[in-house]
Amino acid sequence: MTKNIIGYQTEMGRKINNEQIEQITKAILAGEYSWACVLILQFAGYNPMDYIPYSTYNRQRKKNCLVESSKQKN
């Protein structure tokens, strides 16, 4: 099912899988609420830059990409 609002078309009913829910939950439990918002928007198929200030989004991406890369090295 799709909904068209003034030329903007989005897919309704896109589901977030269990692995994605775990990532969101980990971010919330770690107190990383901005990162959880970024993940929710990305997983739901939205562009986080449309909803979150650029500086917040950029800072969260850098911070969490560095965390992910350090986890992969261990």
Side-chain angles (χ1 to χ4, degrees):
M1 177 179 184
T2 60
K3 188 174 185 179
N4 191 354
I5 302 173
I6 310 173
Y8 183 77
Q9 191 170 359
T10 179
E11 185 177 328
M12 302 299 286
R14 183 171 175 180
K15 295 183 180 179
I16 297 175
N17 66 39
N18 289 336
E19 181 181 322
Q20 293 168 331
I21 289 175
E22 287 178 23
Q23 289 179 26
I24 294 166
T25 303
K26 286 179 185 179
I28 292 169
L29 292 174
E32 296 290 334
Y33 305 113
S34 294
W35 182 241
C37 290
V38 168
L39 292 175
I40 290 168
L41 289 166
Q42 284 181 343
F43 296 153
Y46 296 98
N47 181 358
M49 297 273 299
D50 292 340
Y51 301 93
I52 297 173
Y54 173 77
S55 58
T56 301
Y57 176 75
N58 198 30
R59 183 178 62 248
Q60 291 301 318
R61 290 282 308 199
K62 285 180 182 178
K63 179 180 177 182
N64 289 287
C65 288
L66 292 175
V67 169
E68 290 299 318
S69 65
S70 68
K71 284 182 182 178
Q72 290 175 357
K73 289 179 183 178
N74 293 335

